[in-house]
């Protein structure tokens, strides 16, 4: 089947490439000519394990092409996936739908007389409830038998290719049997492998992504709230999380105390969901979501305060090494990165800060030019008074504590991700502190 994917950012590029892997011919569409040129040469605009290989395979085979022309997209096929971003409005917190509207605007003039019997526009972007209905009314003017369906994405940065090719579930919100049948055909190879296929109305499908991300954010913030309680009582949050996670009703995933969540999805989605709840007159629900967001943001300040105590009460004349810049490991994405927020806050309190990251230094330098960066862990830690472990890259867990102790000025570590081995670091002479684990300090 021939599919178009409108928007070649993170979701669009992964979706386009992975659709070719399950047997489709795909045309990727974007207004960014530079990005299209890179993708045409099989160069993705971001780091994602496995994506470059799939892109190269599909481009070489001719099953994946890219264009800046909406007219070419309308001619190419009758199923169009909208995969553009929905950034947060900085004032209201609501999702900004300008790119979603622009994607449809680009198609509409070219759908008239396109020769296709039924146009299906499939939204994958994270949007407020009612977006599909609004777009459907506009589509109907250009293509009376056209339909808008919603098919939310559930991609996790760092393992998005795996998530796309082996999804835990596929959710489609449709208004007709014909739309359901076409989406079943598109995803047939995945359904044959047993992937659950949940069919619902567009409004429910629009809610699924927001509700899922908000629940995950709530789980992360809950265990971080427990870390605050552990700091006050002398309890150990890791043991607490382990014990809670053994309960099958709770489970261990996302019970990772530390610096909290970041990136382009969870923070944006929970704020947009809170704004939506307000618009719907559900203020009590919005209050819960905002409290989750506030707890998460508070972890960054708590980490800075912990580092300052470890530095002797002041950052003046102190060298601080920061391990990690990306918001999570196996990604070069620094959007709303807790690590960089902490690094910059420490700098603003007077410290000299050097940041290391295996993949994200270029993006981090562009976002925070006032920070210093090092391409080598040892160089970042040279003469450091405190080392902050802020992104849980495997490379940092494999560091030799004794070797690192030889290059710092003071062997003091804040393990903000609670993933280092306290016994090994303390045996090498380090003072190691971690949120929710007061007995380490």
């Amino acid at each position: 089947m021939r599919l178009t994917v409108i928007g070649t950012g993170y979701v669009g590029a992964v979706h386009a490439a992975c659709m070719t892997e399950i047997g489709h011919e795909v045309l990727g569409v974007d207004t960014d000519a530079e990005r299209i040129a890179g993708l045409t040469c099989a160069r993705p605009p971001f780091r994602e394990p496995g994506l470059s290989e799939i892109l190269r395979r599909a481009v070489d085979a001719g099953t994946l092409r890219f264009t800046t022309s909406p007219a070419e997209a309308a001619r190419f096929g009758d199923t169009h996936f909208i995969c553009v971003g929905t950034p947060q409005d900085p004032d209201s917190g609501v999702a900004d739908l300008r790119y979603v509207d622009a994607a449809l605007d680009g198609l509409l003039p070219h759908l008239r007389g396109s020769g296709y019997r039924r146009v299906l526009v499939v939204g994958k972007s994270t949007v407020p409830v009612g977006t599909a209905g609004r777009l459907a009314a506009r589509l109907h003017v250009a293509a009376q038998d056209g339909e808008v369906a919603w098919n939310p994405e559930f991609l996790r940065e760092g393992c998005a290719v795996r998530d796309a090719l082996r999804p835990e579930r596929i959710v489609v919100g449709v208004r007709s049997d014909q739309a359901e049948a076409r989406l079943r055909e598109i995803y047939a190879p995945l359904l044959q492998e047993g992937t659950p296929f949940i069919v619902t109305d567009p409004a429910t499908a629009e809610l699924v992504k927001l509700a899922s991300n908000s629940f995950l954010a709530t789980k992360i913030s809950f265990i971080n709230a427990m870390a605050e309680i552990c700091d006050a009582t002398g309890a150990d949050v890791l043991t607490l999380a382990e014990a809670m996670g053994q309960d099958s009703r709770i489970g261990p995933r996302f019970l990772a105390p530390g610096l909290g969540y970041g990136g382009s999805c969870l923070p944006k989605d929970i704020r947009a969901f809170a704004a939506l709840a307000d618009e719907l007159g559900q203020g009590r629900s919005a209050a819960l979501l905002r409290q989750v967001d506030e707890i998460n943001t508070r972890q960054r300040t708590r980490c800075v305060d912990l580092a300052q105590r470890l530095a002797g009460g002041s950052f003046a004349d102190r060298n601080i090494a920061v391990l990690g810049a990306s918001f999570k490991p196996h990604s070069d994405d620094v959007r709303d990165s807790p690590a960089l927020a902490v690094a910059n806050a420490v700098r603003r309190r007077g410290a000299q800060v050097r940041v290391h990251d295996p993949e994200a230094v270029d993006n981090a330098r562009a976002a925070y030019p006032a920070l210093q960066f090092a391409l080598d862990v040892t160089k970042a830690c040279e003469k450091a008074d405190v080392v902050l472990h802020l992104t849980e890259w495997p490379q940092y867990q494999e560091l030799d504590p004794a070797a690192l102790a030889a290059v710092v000025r003071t062997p003091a570590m804040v393990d903000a991700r609670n993933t280092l081995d306290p016994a090994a670091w303390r045996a090498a002479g380090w003072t190691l502190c971690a949120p929710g684990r007061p007995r380490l300090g």
Side-chain angles (χ1 to χ4, degrees):
M1 186 177 292
R2 304 178 85 188
L3 314 174
T4 69
V5 173
I6 304 172
T8 58
Y10 188 82
V11 173
V14 172
H15 185 64
C18 290
M19 286 297 96
T20 67
E21 284 289 287
I22 63 173
H24 301 298
E25 186 178 352
V26 179
L27 180 66
V29 189
D30 207 301
T31 58
D32 187 332
E34 183 177 353
R35 179 183 292 172
I36 289 297
L39 287 166
T40 298
C41 297
R43 294 196 307 269
F46 49 84
R47 182 190 188 279
E48 181 60 41
L51 180 59
S52 295
E53 293 82 355
I54 293 178
L55 274 175
R56 171 56 61 192
R57 194 156 55 237
V59 168
D60 289 348
T63 57
L64 178 58
R65 295 189 296 109
F66 297 93
T67 184
T68 58
S69 170
E72 184 179 356
R75 293 192 301 268
F76 184 79
D78 56 1
T79 304
H80 309 282
F81 286 89
I82 294 180
C83 300
V84 297
T86 54
Q88 180 186 354
D89 184 279
D91 297 321
S92 66
V94 301
D96 184 345
L97 300 181
R98 75 179 75 177
Y99 302 111
V100 173
D101 287 321
L104 187 62
D105 287 341
L107 278 178
L108 289 180
H110 308 290
L111 294 177
R112 298 183 179 90
S114 66
Y116 292 105
R117 181 180 63 83
R118 179 180 290 271
V119 172
L120 180 62
V121 174
V122 186
K124 294 195 75 68
S125 305
T126 305
V127 296
V129 177
T131 302
R134 182 173 61 81
L135 297 181
R138 298 179 57 212
L139 175 63
H140 188 69
V141 174
Q144 291 188 1
D145 61 351
E147 183 173 346
V148 173
W150 222 259
N151 170 216
E153 55 86 13
F154 302 103
L155 304 179
R156 298 167 296 166
E157 291 195 37
C159 49
V161 169
R162 182 178 64 192
D163 289 344
L165 295 176
R166 292 178 176 80
E168 294 180 326
R169 77 285 204 197
I170 296 170
V171 178
V172 297
V174 296
R175 291 293 186 192
S176 72
D177 294 339
Q178 295 94 326
E180 177 186 340
R182 188 180 302 180
L183 287 165
R184 284 188 181 276
E185 182 181 359
I186 290 170
Y187 289 117
L190 304 182
L191 302 187
Q192 290 168 4
E193 295 177 357
T195 301
F197 190 77
I198 300 170
V199 181
T200 184
D201 57 89
T204 304
E206 289 167 329
L207 272 174
V208 167
K209 177 64 181 297
L210 287 172
S212 295
N213 276 358
S214 295
F215 182 80
L216 296 176
T218 301
K219 201 171 181 182
I220 295 168
S221 286
F222 179 85
I223 198 61
N224 278 328
M226 294 302 100
E228 296 178 2
I229 300 296
C230 287
D231 280 336
T233 61
D236 189 306
V237 72
L238 287 193
T239 305
L240 176 65
E242 180 184 9
M244 290 175 61
Q246 294 299 315
D247 188 325
S248 60
R249 297 168 298 175
I250 298 174
R253 297 182 66 185
F254 285 83
L255 284 182
L259 200 51
Y261 56 78
S264 63
C265 288
L266 290 189
K268 172 182 72 72
D269 288 353
I270 199 164
R271 292 163 195 163
F273 206 4
L276 175 63
D278 274 338
E279 290 178 3
L280 296 173
Q282 300 300 315
R284 287 173 294 183
S285 297
L288 168 64
L289 298 170
R290 290 196 172 93
Q291 183 67 13
V292 168
D293 191 32
E294 190 277 329
I295 292 171
N296 185 70
T297 302
R298 191 164 69 223
Q299 305 317 305
R300 305 176 185 191
T301 303
R302 279 168 41 81
C303 180
V304 175
D305 292 342
L306 179 58
Q308 186 166 322
R309 290 197 298 272
L310 202 56
S314 172
F315 284 124
D317 300 319
R318 294 290 188 268
N319 296 326
I320 306 300
V322 170
L323 304 184
S326 58
F327 88 94
K328 66 181 295 187
H330 310 295
S331 172
D332 62 356
D333 193 346
V334 301
R335 289 174 291 179
D336 202 1
S337 166
L340 286 176
V342 168
N344 196 49
V346 169
R347 180 193 67 82
R348 296 176 78 170
R349 290 194 190 183
Q352 294 293 316
V353 179
R354 287 193 300 270
V355 182
H356 174 269
D357 190 279
E359 297 287 346
V361 165
D362 289 342
N363 290 343
R365 184 181 286 114
Y368 289 86
L371 292 172
Q372 299 177 40
F373 295 89
L375 299 179
D376 179 78
V377 172
T378 301
K379 186 65 177 177
C381 294
E382 192 173 87
K383 297 182 180 179
D385 296 287
V386 181
V387 179
L388 308 183
H389 174 228
L390 303 183
T391 306
E392 61 272 37
W393 283 95
Q395 293 93 319
Y396 299 148
Q397 297 169 43
E398 297 167 0
L399 289 171
D400 182 345
L404 206 61
V407 302
V408 300
R409 186 152 58 191
T410 306
M413 169 77 75
V414 175
D415 179 15
R417 293 299 184 176
N418 270 308
T419 57
L420 302 180
D421 180 357
W425 286 83
R426 295 180 77 174
W430 287 78
T431 298
L432 187 141
C433 298
R437 310 190 73 191
R439 297 178 186 176
L440 296 181

